[in-house]
Amino acid sequence: MATRLATVRTSSRPQVTPGQAPAEWWRSAVVYQVYLRSFADGNGDGIGDLAGLRSRLPYLSWLGVDALWINPHYPSGGADGGYDIVDYRAVDPDYGDVADLEALVSDARRLGLRVVLDVVPNHSSDQHPWFRAALADPDCAEAGRYHFAPPSEEPPNNWQSLFGGPAWSRTPDGRWYLHLFAPAQPDLNWRDPAVAEDFDRTLRFWLDRGVSGFRVDVAYGLFKDAGLRDNPGSYSPTLFGHGPEQAMTWNQPEVHDVWRRWRSICDEYPDTMLVGEVCLADLEQVALYSRPDEMHQSFSFRLLKSPWDTAAFADGVQSALDAFGAVGAPVSWVLGNHDKDRQVTRFGGGALGTARARAAALLVLSLPGSPYLYAGDELGLPQAVVPDEAKLDPIFHRSGGARAGRDGCRVPMPWNDTDGVGFSPDGAADPWLPIPAEWDRYAVSRQTRDGASMLTLYRRALALRAAHPALGSAEATVSTSGDVLTVRCTGADETVRCVLNMGTETVLVPNPGSVLLASSTHVRSSAGSVALPPDTAVWLTED
Ligand code: NOJ
Ligand code: CA
């Protein structure tokens, strides 16, 4: 049974109104990441789909986000959660069809929401017709669109797969082919012009259906060293991403021309945007992907990858403001996604992790730029324990179980706290990943009734962010004092401070103005100051 929610939007942000072109909406948009397979199941087969998502659009509008990014919806070989695409200009029958996507976009527009799709240009599925043709005939045109090497005892070089093991596998006839991810994800050869031309067609196909842009998978990939030289170091990405030790596989200079080409296509369609996944250790290099003639944004994963530590968070915020500021791009803030353990669990689990996740939400929603919220984080979902036999992630399987994999952050959403959790209609098949029995406690229906819930906090924060331009689109200065992190957001009409206590003692924060929002009911306000307990945050106006 669907949870019924009133559709109220208090946003002062530009709305999606046909015929109007709000200026650069993406600079401060709150983007909600929908893991399609896990969001809402419309037809009862246990798999989330476009009809299910469409039925839940009123929830997203009520929540107060500006746009949604949908993880890959294409026909896929199923080897990597949809990131192994068989047909780039179609919809996987598990999710519906192109007409469903069009209906979703049009309903979303009516509610003032934009739809951003995922596009995967670094690799296709091994079931893609090009790769199948290339396996059947080494001399066909399609073979030139991948990286093949002649049969030999050893692989052509020392390149490693991100999912474990060598990045080269053999074809049945003994050739080698390159896959920087799973063997079922052969890397495309972007030096073959047919590849670029086909992606042009793909972008236009979806833009013509009214989508507002694309999240670009592995945007730091595509080109590899033309001489296939060994990487200088072993595969050991730093906390923040890949560095010079993998100089031959990532971040080749030619890739920037692809983003210029894609930008010029997007520029033909008003109000569209590109956001790139660029997992490089050097944030200044990441920011180069969002120069004015390239993508509009490239994700800042610093906070996603930072421990709960004042200096780490302060640096995560400041370094991103600096790097993206230098190229004139907004920062796209990420605290959670489908590749990383849920934040409640990362920040310590249970009540502690939840308190920290609440405080962190106030931090990211105060910052200038574009926050990306991962579906379920607004409910405070923890990392689910998925039994090994139910796990699907190739990271788990290729590491022989040594790495837990990403299934635990991809478990379906709990919508109701009655008759199951309402992910699927009554009497439906089992969900594609098991939902923990106790997840009814996180259900949307329950949290909407609870004024102290994580969902209520997110909704209030989003409404305030929309109503106060100092939040999300101001000049921000970052400072620390002991374990207290302060971001001062100075807009044209007011200043709002976000103060976050990451230490173990309550601190007294001077407050000449008023409390706009607190992450916890334990935050106490008295004349001229606020008592901020550990792991809490507050928004303060200076009036
Ligand atoms: C990044 C995506 O977020 C991840 O889920 C996927 O496994 C890899 N790219 C490969 O496409
Ligand atoms: Ca379904």
Side-chain angles (χ1 to χ4, degrees):
M1 255 242 287
T3 310
R4 298 188 69 80
L5 298 165
T7 303
V8 285
R9 284 186 60 85
T10 50
S11 175
S12 60
R13 269 171 222 299
Q15 301 292 295
V16 192
T17 312
Q20 261 184 15
E24 306 198 324
W25 63 276
W26 41 271
R27 283 192 173 273
S28 61
V30 179
V31 184
Y32 184 96
Q33 180 191 349
V34 174
Y35 199 74
L36 186 56
R37 212 168 179 78
S38 293
F39 195 67
D41 171 19
N43 65 353
D45 62 359
I47 298 172
D49 48 46
L50 292 170
L53 168 56
R54 202 174 150 206
S55 75
R56 296 293 185 180
L57 286 175
Y59 166 75
L60 296 178
S61 170
W62 169 88
L63 181 59
V65 301
D66 301 299
L68 35 149
W69 146 40
I70 308 175
N71 284 103
H73 62 281
Y74 312 90
S76 146
D80 181 25
Y83 284 92
D84 49 322
I85 294 172
V86 174
D87 182 348
Y88 286 83
R89 296 187 283 278
V91 172
D92 191 307
D94 277 353
Y95 302 137
D97 57 24
V98 173
D100 290 319
L101 196 283
E102 288 172 325
L104 175 83
V105 170
S106 127
D107 281 8
R109 282 199 169 248
R110 267 196 293 280
L111 291 169
L113 296 165
R114 298 168 188 278
V115 175
V116 172
L117 300 180
D118 212 315
V119 65
V120 186
N122 180 70
H123 44 264
S124 75
S125 163
D126 62 352
Q127 307 299 310
H128 191 287
W130 289 357
F131 195 72
R132 292 166 80 105
L135 286 187
D137 175 4
D139 299 319
C140 70
E142 289 86 346
R145 300 173 197 169
Y146 294 94
H147 300 272
F148 286 98
S152 60
E153 281 294 304
E154 295 295 323
N157 59 29
N158 71 353
W159 296 356
Q160 294 289 297
S161 155
L162 261 76
F163 290 165
W168 297 91
S169 288
R170 283 184 186 278
T171 61
D173 61 7
R175 287 174 288 158
W176 294 100
Y177 72 91
L178 177 69
H179 56 85
L180 289 170
F181 293 88
Q185 295 167 295
D187 280 52
L188 289 160
N189 174 17
W190 275 81
R191 294 197 171 84
D192 185 325
V195 172
E197 284 157 17
D198 198 68
F199 274 93
D200 291 353
R201 277 197 286 281
T202 293
L203 297 184
R204 289 183 195 286
F205 180 86
W206 297 111
L207 290 167
D208 285 340
R209 276 151 188 85
V211 307
S212 292
F214 302 93
R215 175 267 189 192
V216 183
D217 189 62
V218 193
Y220 58 115
L222 282 70
F223 286 87
K224 287 94 201 176
D225 178 62
L228 300 185
R229 288 173 292 174
D230 274 354
N231 264 327
S234 62
Y235 172 66
S236 56
T238 64
L239 176 62
F240 292 128
H242 307 284
E245 78 286 348
Q246 290 172 77
M248 302 301 154
T249 35
W250 308 118
N251 199 28
Q252 305 299 302
E254 300 95 313
V255 77
H256 290 283
D257 287 336
V258 175
W259 310 134
R260 293 188 182 102
R261 177 175 179 140
W262 284 29
R263 176 65 176 254
S264 68
I265 291 174
C266 281
D267 283 349
E268 293 171 28
Y269 296 79
D271 302 328
T272 53
M273 71 103 159
L274 299 166
V275 51
E277 184 209 27
V278 184
C279 299
L280 298 172
D282 181 346
L283 200 55
E284 285 167 13
Q285 286 290 317
V286 176
L288 294 182
Y289 285 72
S290 40
R291 283 177 287 194
D293 59 345
E294 300 195 36
M295 291 185 281
H296 302 73
Q297 301 176 356
S298 30
F299 286 129
S300 175
F301 291 130
R302 287 291 158 120
L303 294 177
L304 178 74
K305 296 182 176 177
S306 292
W308 188 258
D309 171 82
T310 322
F313 263 57
D315 184 57
V317 174
Q318 188 65 63
S319 60
L321 291 173
D322 291 346
F324 290 93
V327 297
V331 184
S332 49
W333 306 101
V334 182
L335 265 180
N337 67 19
H338 63 294
D339 290 330
K340 198 81 182 145
D341 282 5
R342 288 276 186 186
Q343 35 178 314
V344 165
T345 304
R346 283 200 330 265
F347 293 152
L352 177 72
T354 303
R356 290 176 171 176
R358 292 173 69 98
L362 292 205
L363 175 69
V364 286
L365 292 175
S366 72
L367 295 168
S370 184
Y372 281 70
L373 310 180
Y374 180 45
D377 279 350
E378 82 278 21
L379 305 179
L381 295 183
Q383 187 75 357
V385 177
V386 177
D388 285 357
E389 59 278 12
K391 283 186 177 171
L392 296 167
D393 187 358
I395 289 184
F396 172 77
H397 292 287
R398 276 185 67 81
S399 68
R403 293 164 71 190
R406 300 164 291 180
D407 300 281
C409 64
R410 299 175 176 182
V411 167
M413 288 271 286
W415 291 95
N416 297 334
D417 56 353
T418 53
D419 55 24
V421 293
F423 168 66
S424 297
D426 290 346
D430 287 342
W432 71 283
L433 277 179
I435 305 176
E438 72 282 7
W439 270 26
D440 55 347
R441 80 163 71 135
Y442 300 109
V444 170
S445 60
R446 186 176 295 196
Q447 296 203 36
T448 51
R449 299 192 298 264
D450 176 359
S453 69
M454 180 78 90
L455 180 58
T456 300
L457 178 75
Y458 264 92
R459 185 167 185 252
R460 284 196 186 130
L462 288 165
L464 287 167
R465 182 183 150 99
H468 292 258
L471 295 163
S473 25
E475 283 294 310
T477 52
V478 183
S479 60
T480 57
S481 165
D483 282 321
V484 175
L485 168 63
T486 301
V487 180
R488 201 158 184 275
C489 307
T490 310
D493 301 322
E494 68 173 346
T495 294
V496 178
R497 270 181 303 153
C498 176
V499 188
L500 168 61
N501 181 3
M502 303 182 87
T504 53
E505 306 290 333
T506 295
V507 292
L508 270 190
V509 179
N511 177 30
S514 48
V515 175
L516 211 48
L517 187 62
S519 70
S520 156
T521 49
H522 299 301
V523 174
R524 296 264 176 265
S525 179
S526 56
S529 68
V530 166
L532 201 58
D535 306 312
T536 61
V538 68
W539 285 351
L540 303 173
T541 57
E542 294 184 1
D543 43 28

